[in-house]
Amino acid sequence: MNTIDLRSDTVTWPTDAMRQAMAVAAVGDDVYGDDPTVRELETYAASLAGKEAALFVPSGTFGNQLALFTHCPRGSEVILDEQCHIVQHEAGASSVIAGVQLRTLDLAGETISAEAILPRVRSGDDIHEPRTSLVCVENAHSNGKVIPLAAMESVRRAADRAHLPIHLDGARVFNAAVALGVQAKDITQYVDSVMFCLSKGLCAPVGSILAGTRRFIDDARRKRKLMGGGLRQAGILAAAGLVALKDMRPRLDEDHENARILAQRIAAIPGMRVDLASVQINMVYFTHERAGSIDPEAFVDFMRGKGVLINPPGADGAYRLVTHYWITRERVEAVAKAIADFFA
Ligand SMILES: *Cc1c(COP(=O)(O)O)cnc(C)c1O
């Protein structure tokens, strides 16, 4: 990658090792169950998630929506934080595909817990009310926050009390595991199904995993076909996914370290506001005290001129920078210098 692209970890290109693995991957028709590389990826992914089975899906959105579609009867209700990707960034798919209603929680910055969930659960005994069918959690959250194991356990307690399954949007579950100093399966032990992305910080070009019980995955496999996600010689993609899980997963702590260094460099620039304690994974958020008088477009353009791509600020005025495999330590220093130059 020639540009320094901090807009997301989705921008990552596949590594040379991935391109090699893709070139020589053994393939077959995966709709017939004939692709050995997809089968290897699914088996390995299931073991990392501590689940019986796993399914390769085209994207994270596809995996989340397939989970809702598989867990939930139409017209039922899903309880989740209103800031979740499923609510904010999946094009309203849950009403189209699973045909469910989203019952969102306004957590006001608090961590999700049994206390937040239980009062919202509806049995459906009253014919006016939808019946709750699922609880969803996101860890790590796409705002960079990690949910501790105690909170995961609290959600499990609520779900057990209400006889509900839990789906984890674990797009960055391996980043969460690094941040917590645990294995991914220590997080996923509390949930019934989990989706994680191969194509973010793990650098695969395409693909995500949905994992759960054998029965759940058998059902999801059928529904994946219905959604047009039955892929043929997908071993080409799964080969990159295996490199992602085996070689790239163990290095995610480097991205976290680079994010911390970037946050420290930015915090040292006069007028900058950076909450260093909030840098848990590969994301840095910052604002400047003169933000109101600075044209965001001018800043984004200035950075582009220095070969650095960033997104415009969010609704709260904060800029988000995301580190990943292609953002080396050297590049972190170059980015910090470019930001300092603009605000000087
Ligand atoms: C990126 C992301 C997704 C969706 O993944 P895509 O592959 O972009 O569809 C879902 N949930 C979270 C938390 C994400 O960050």
Side-chain angles (χ1 to χ4, degrees):
M1 277 183 92
N2 297 328
T3 51
I4 302 177
D5 196 339
L6 297 156
R7 292 172 301 169
S8 177
D9 46 13
T10 57
V11 303
T12 46
W13 289 2
T15 64
D16 288 343
M18 284 177 187
R19 291 177 189 265
Q20 286 301 321
M22 293 171 83
V24 300
V27 297
D29 188 332
D30 186 52
V31 176
Y32 283 90
D34 283 352
D35 192 302
T37 312
V38 172
R39 291 219 303 259
E40 185 186 342
L41 172 66
E42 290 177 344
T43 303
Y44 185 61
S47 73
L48 289 178
K51 300 295 174 201
E52 285 172 14
L55 189 66
F56 181 67
V57 292
S59 70
T61 301
F62 196 114
N64 279 337
Q65 295 301 329
L66 178 57
L68 267 54
F69 192 23
T70 307
H71 281 297
C72 309
R74 296 185 82 74
S76 65
E77 190 170 68
V78 178
I79 297 178
L80 73 181
D81 169 8
E82 67 177 16
Q83 297 305 323
C84 281
H85 197 276
I86 290 172
V87 180
Q88 299 290 340
H89 302 294
E90 299 192 6
S94 49
S95 63
V96 178
I97 300 170
V100 293
Q101 166 165 307
L102 300 180
R103 184 93 186 274
T104 58
L105 306 175
D106 176 3
L107 296 172
E110 296 293 313
T111 305
I112 192 163
S113 64
E115 292 66 39
I117 293 165
L118 282 171
R120 305 314 203 291
V121 174
R122 302 201 271 187
S123 67
D125 291 345
D126 179 334
I127 60 163
H128 298 88
E129 293 185 347
R131 184 173 280 136
T132 308
S133 58
L134 182 69
V135 175
C136 286
V137 198
E138 190 172 309
N139 199 12
H141 199 282
S142 54
N143 66 10
K145 279 201 190 142
V146 175
I147 299 178
L149 292 184
M152 295 295 301
E153 196 197 347
S154 171
V155 173
R156 180 74 264 172
R157 235 183 300 123
D160 284 347
R161 176 117 42 104
H163 306 290
L164 295 171
I166 304 172
H167 171 68
L168 173 64
D169 177 348
R172 296 185 183 83
V173 73
F174 298 111
N175 296 85
V178 167
L180 294 173
V182 300
Q183 300 290 313
K185 57 184 165 192
D186 297 329
I187 300 173
T188 56
Q189 66 175 318
Y190 298 109
V191 303
D192 298 276
S193 62
V194 56
M195 180 285 291
F196 54 82
C197 292
L198 304 170
S199 62
K200 290 189 170 168
L202 298 178
C203 289
V206 174
S208 292
I209 294 289
L210 179 63
T213 62
R214 167 74 52 199
R215 199 174 156 182
F216 174 82
I217 292 300
D218 285 349
D219 195 8
R221 193 179 296 279
R222 181 182 178 81
K223 290 191 159 73
R224 180 185 69 170
K225 185 76 179 107
L226 183 156
M227 287 166 65
L231 305 176
R232 301 296 178 175
Q233 284 73 39
I236 299 281
L237 299 172
L242 278 162
V243 177
L245 291 178
K246 290 186 173 169
D247 298 349
M248 304 306 279
R249 185 173 50 85
R251 61 152 303 285
L252 287 174
D253 59 334
E254 286 175 37
D255 300 339
H256 296 195
E257 173 75 2
N258 279 333
R260 282 194 295 271
I261 290 172
L262 182 57
Q264 285 162 9
R265 297 285 185 274
I266 294 172
I269 299 169
M272 282 296 183
R273 298 201 178 112
V274 191
D275 178 6
L276 293 176
S278 74
V279 184
Q280 293 182 285
I281 57 167
N282 60 338
M283 294 179 190
V284 179
Y285 285 84
F286 70 92
T287 53
H288 193 272
E289 62 184 20
R290 283 190 287 114
S293 59
I294 286 165
D295 176 12
E297 221 173 294
F299 178 46
V300 172
D301 284 349
F302 176 87
M303 294 299 284
R304 193 184 301 116
K306 301 271 185 184
V308 181
L309 299 185
I310 61 170
N311 280 324
D316 59 355
Y319 292 88
R320 183 186 80 162
L321 306 180
V322 185
T323 59
H324 51 74
Y325 177 71
W326 299 95
I327 306 297
T328 56
R329 183 68 54 85
E330 214 177 9
R331 287 180 155 192
V332 164
E333 301 296 347
V335 170
K337 183 169 184 313
I339 296 173
D341 287 349
F342 180 84
F343 285 99

